[in-house]
Each structure stands twice: as C-alpha cells, then as structure tokens.
Amino acid sequence: MDVMSIDDAAGRVATAGPPPAHGGVIPPDLATCADCLRELFDPANRRHRYPFITCAACGPRATIIESLPYERARTSMRGFEPCPACAAEYDDPADRRFHAETIACASCGPRLRWGSMTGEAALRAATDFIAAGAVVVVKGLGGFHLVCDAIDEAAVTRLREVKARDGKPLAIMVRAPVVAGALADLSDDDRALLTAPSAPIVLAPRRHGVLASGVCHGMPDVAVLLPYTPVHHLLLDALRRPLVVTGASPDGSPTPTGEISGLAVDGVLTHDRPIVARYDDSVIRSFGRGSITIRRGRGLAPAPLPLPAAAPPLVAVGAELNSTFTLADGERAVLGPHLGDLPAAATLAAYEQALDHLVHLNGIEPLHAAHDLHPGYLSTRLARRLPSRIAVQHHHAHVAAVAAEHRLEPPFLGVAYDGPGLGDDGTWWGGELLLASYRGYRRLGRFSRAPLPGAEAAARHPVLDGDVIAREAGCPATSSATRLFDAAAALLGLCEVNGFPGEAATRLEQAAGAFPGTEPLAWRLERRGGLWVYDGAATLRHLLEARADGEPAGRIAAAFHATVAAVTVLLCERAATEHDVTQVCLSGEVFENRLLATDVLDRLSAAGFEPYLGRQVPLNDAGLSYGQAAVAAARLARA
Ligand SMILES: [Zn+2]
Ligand SMILES: [Zn+2]
Ligand SMILES: [Zn+2]
C-alpha cells in the first residue's frame, strides 16, 4: 500500500481561480426574490399569480442549464418564445428583468398541469386534494417532491409508505420564518439560512406543536424550509398550513426528474419546463459556532470550491453511500450534487448522467480518477475506466476536505470520527488521529476496535476487547467512532438498532442535551504498536456502572460526549508535543453531532489549537469526493 510521507511544503493553497475559457461557472438556483413575490400577489401586476415568475435575481439556473454560457437558448426555457411584452423587458436596461434568461409570463411561459387541467385550475385541484388529506407529487426545480399536509397524521403515514421511509424526519415547508419559529427553536443563524437565496432545509431543535407525530418520529430536530418557487408560494398561500415536501423516491435513491409513474399518489402537479439536472434540496445544521452542510444540493452546488494545488483534469468518484463526485481542473473543484447510495439501482444511472452533464458543462474531460482504497466500491469500479488512478484513504480524504475548504497550509492534524473506511493496513478505520498534508498522512492514534456490526454485539459484550468479540462473532473489527456511539446508545437503552443511518448517535445527542457541563466518564489512553489508542471499553464499562447506580441515561450520555471530547483534546496534545502543529481538522459524520462538535471546538481552542470543521462541504461521505480531489491535485502537482 502506497502511503505518502508527510511533506510540509506540499500543496500550495490557492483560491478558486478563473474558469478555463472553454468552461464557465454554473450558477446555482435562486429562491424567488422579494420583488417577484410582491408581484406574484399583486392583482395589478401582469404576472399576478403566475407560477413561473422570475427575474434577473431569482429563479432556476443549474437545474435548467444545458450548456454554457448561461443564456436562454442553452436552457430548458428555449422552448418558450418570449411574448412581445417579455421581450421588451428583456431588452430594457432599466427593467429588473433586463437580460433575465428565464423571463416568462402567463402568455408565453411554462404552465402548470394537473391531469387534463392547466394553470389556475390545476393549482386549485392540487390544493383541494392536499387540503383533503391526499398525498400528491409536485414538480420542483431539481426534482419531484411528495407533498402532503404535515398536520394530517393519516396523510403523513401514507406519504411515508409511498416513500418507504422509516424513522428519518421529513422536511416541512412553511410560509414564513415566523411559522418556522413556531415549529423549531431557531437561532439568528437559522433564520438567516432559511431566508438565504439558496433556501436550504435547516435542521433545528423541534418545538412541541401542531405537526403530525409521524413527521419527526420523536427525533430531536425538525427539518424546515421556506418556499423557494412561486408554485410553493401559491400552494402555501392557499393552504395556510405546514406541508411535508420531500424527494419523491425511496431513501438513498435519486429524486426523479422525469415524469412520475408507478407511485401510489393521488395526483401530480407538474409543468412543461424540463428539469435538465437533478438537484436535491440542500440540508444545513447550525449550532452557535456557524453551520455545517449535511447535503450540498440545490442552491449551493455546483458553485466552485478551492483546491490546494493546480490540478490536471480529474474526477474524484467519492464513496459508496451518500455518493457525490468532484470534477477538478486548474485551481477549481466542482462538487456535484448529492446522488444517493450507489448500490441503489437507480443511483448509478443518475450518477453517470450527472457526471456526463457536468463534464460537458465544465468542459473538464478527466484524465485521472481519484477513488477510495476499497476495491469493491462501485465508485472504485467507475474509476477503473480511466487509466490513471489515485487511491486515497477514506479518512485522509475526509481530513483533506476540511483543510482544502479552509485553504490551510500543511501540516495539520486530522481527527476523523466516522463510519468504517478501509485503512492502509487492510483493517477498518474510523476513529483516527492523523498528521497530514494534502499528499499524505501518518496515523498517530486511533480508537480501540469493536466488531463491525457494532451496537448489538457490543451491547451484549460491552466490556470485552473488541478484537476478541469480533473474532468470536466471525466479523471484522473496526476502530470506527460511529460504532462506539452506537454501542453507547444501545447500552443506555436509547436505540438498539439504527432505523436509519445515524439514528443511535442522534438519540444519544438528544438525551445528553439536558445535562450540559457533565464530567467525563473513565477512559484509558495507551501506546499500542506505536499509536495512541483510546480504549472505549473502559468508558463503556463506567457507563454501565453509572447506569446500574441509577444515573439518568441523559446524564450518562452527556458524560459520554464529554469523554470523547476530552480524549480528542488529549490525543491532539500528545501529537502536538511530538510534532509542531496547531491546526486541527475535525471531519467525519460523527461531527454532525452538535454537542460533540461544539465541545471539541471549545476545548481545542482553549488548549491553544486552531480547530476547523467542514462548513460548506459535508462532513459525511457526500463530502468525500472533494477531499479525494484535493489529495489527487496535491499528488499530481509534484508527479
Ligand atoms: Zn425575482
Ligand atoms: Zn411573456
Ligand atoms: Zn466516511
């Protein structure tokens, strides 16, 4: 296995430079602006209640662009010939629709359809159905959504059946920030995120209120967003209640963009403007120290990101679940939209389609492919189509993604708390301390190993050495931090089995929230094979003792979080005494945990470190391809 040595000089940190002449920047979609919204509901305006009102400052972009440069003739608006009134506005430098490529009105632009009905009649039919408890499909910007009344328990239950979604919270669209504030505990940051032109889904602590219990299934956060198209505004204005608005596909599968068939729904509110590129709604979580991006989709992708070195044209293919790809050329990286889990039948096709589209749009014809070390990933197989390949260790890629986003000069410490990923020694990693540059890394520490199936086996044998259990159970062991969190949640009776990825960790965080400032549990940090190893078994043993003593599960969960935070700082301090390094990149899906991320950031800052967390690029595997691209760019720059 080729593990690069640490090279402090490697990787100049560059800004996202100008695009190559044959490419161009693809603008992300923009939520309906305040001016258009005013006109939409102004009876005197000629676009009163026109469901596709846009201007030069808002409307679809990335989802309708067929080729660059961005102009109407190269978008899916090309089939709509502007009427004389629209054409006059387009040509008038004083008009706010001067050169607005998506300009349209009721007489020349796209039209709503519901069965055989069009326009207002179609809209009214859809609102009547939703008001009566129906589950309907609504064509959006980057895909089709399932929509129903979020207060109607039966409708929400039916929608979950159609979507085949178990416990994961459903996104709720509300008319205005004030309504969102009634459903969720919103910070000022949350409000700013909600009303941004990218109009993402914001995850915020749930308030007890009117929503059907099936929306959140007892999970601590509610996923809220504001209307971002005129169609959404018209629906919500008529219905005056929160709506479930979620991708019309099973979890892990790509949101459909073509005409819908085969779904057990009561109707489809569609329109005749084709969706060129699939973009799911973006998902963001804020927590007092800024926000993190859980899913980088509509409104955010495919805005360019910086690279640590000028890259030859390359594609980084990502991981297996939460797959994305990144195209890179020169000093620009384009992280493509979130596509879902590659093993899901439809995802691979969507992945290849999206890749072809962005290759074509950006004019980047990849010569090299960066991929995960795991030879069996479908993404790795895709990479084999290119003769020049760069294998990147999973957690090094996570760490590099954080460093590249923040334009850090190496070296940096990388703390990767994540699901299992293949290590360079053939074992499964995931609770890692790395000393890293963009080109390479050295493993300095890790979590002790637990059996890969995780929670159940660990819950039965929490105090045994993980390697022993794994051997007895006949399954591989992993140092993955997610397994430790799963085990803690199971032992506290908070979540035996993950109903969806991350459920146990979320429930653990929820339980801990009520006990701030709790002291850590016991832990052991020891030298094994030249590495600092955090032995999670000692912590789990103490956790069980505390439980037997009748401590509340929430207080123990808080103590568990404090333990991991304290151990993290200790690991970094051990590394800092041996290596002169103060920058710390926190990466991996475990840091989506608000409580842990905040605590670790605070403790590291107090200890004199400069901690960084992935902000624009997901900490989960949806951000992995960007990290792979950063590593490949640095390695190829010297090759
Ligand atoms: Zn506008
Ligand atoms: Zn017109
Ligand atoms: Zn990962």
Side-chain angles (χ1 to χ4, degrees), residues 179-320:
V179 187
L183 301 177
D185 214 348
L186 297 180
S187 65
D188 290 345
D189 284 351
D190 290 329
R191 278 173 222 279
L193 288 167
L194 278 172
T195 53
S198 53
I201 293 170
V202 174
L203 299 179
R206 178 167 55 96
R207 286 205 163 151
H208 293 284
V210 295
L211 294 179
S213 67
V215 169
C216 294
H217 262 313
M219 297 305 287
D221 277 355
V222 59
V224 282
L225 80 165
L226 295 181
Y228 57 84
T229 70
V231 176
H232 296 151
H233 282 288
L234 291 166
L235 284 172
L236 283 159
D237 180 65
L239 288 159
R240 306 259 160 178
R241 72 195 79 186
L243 299 177
V244 174
V245 175
T246 183
S249 62
D251 277 338
S253 296
T255 303
T257 55
E259 289 308 309
I260 289 282
S261 64
L263 277 182
V265 294
D266 301 305
V268 180
L269 184 63
T270 185
H271 59 73
D272 51 0
R273 185 186 64 211
I275 297 171
V276 174
R278 169 185 294 103
Y279 284 87
D280 285 356
D281 293 325
S282 294
V283 182
I284 294 194
R285 195 182 199 198
S286 83
F287 53 90
R289 312 277 190 292
S291 57
I292 55 169
T293 304
I294 310 265
R295 186 164 73 201
R296 186 178 160 89
R298 175 197 48 77
L300 300 176
L305 292 161
L307 277 177
L314 66 88
V315 60
V317 295
E320 188 77 338

Side-chain angles (χ1 to χ4, degrees), residues 52 95 117 142 147 174 177 222 239 257 327 361 388 469 476 509 531:
F52 302 92
D95 196 282
M117 284 176 265
V147 175
V174 296
V222 59
L239 288 159
T257 55
L327 284 168
L361 275 190
S388 167
I469 310 168
E509 180 189 353
L531 300 179

Side-chain angles (χ1 to χ4, degrees), residues 472-552:
E472 285 177 359
C475 61
T478 176
S479 56
S480 163
T482 56
R483 299 306 165 186
L484 185 65
F485 277 74
D486 287 353
L491 291 174
L492 289 174
L494 296 168
C495 182
E496 290 291 332
V497 179
N498 277 314
F500 58 88
E503 181 183 1
T506 310
R507 294 205 182 274
L508 194 68
E509 180 189 353
Q510 176 186 24
F515 299 90
T518 305
E519 289 297 311
L521 299 165
W523 77 77
R524 208 167 55 222
L525 195 61
E526 55 193 27
R527 287 298 273 185
R528 279 189 217 164
L531 300 179
W532 290 106
V533 177
Y534 160 51
D535 184 359
T539 302
L540 294 181
R541 208 175 294 128
H542 189 188
L543 179 149
L544 278 180
E545 286 164 14
R547 185 133 199 248
D549 288 346
E551 284 273 333

Side-chain angles (χ1 to χ4, degrees), residues 31-37 53-59 96-97:
T32 305
C33 73
D35 288 337
C36 285
L37 193 55
I53 185 170
T54 63
C55 70
C58 77
R96 67 184 194 85
R97 292 192 174 83

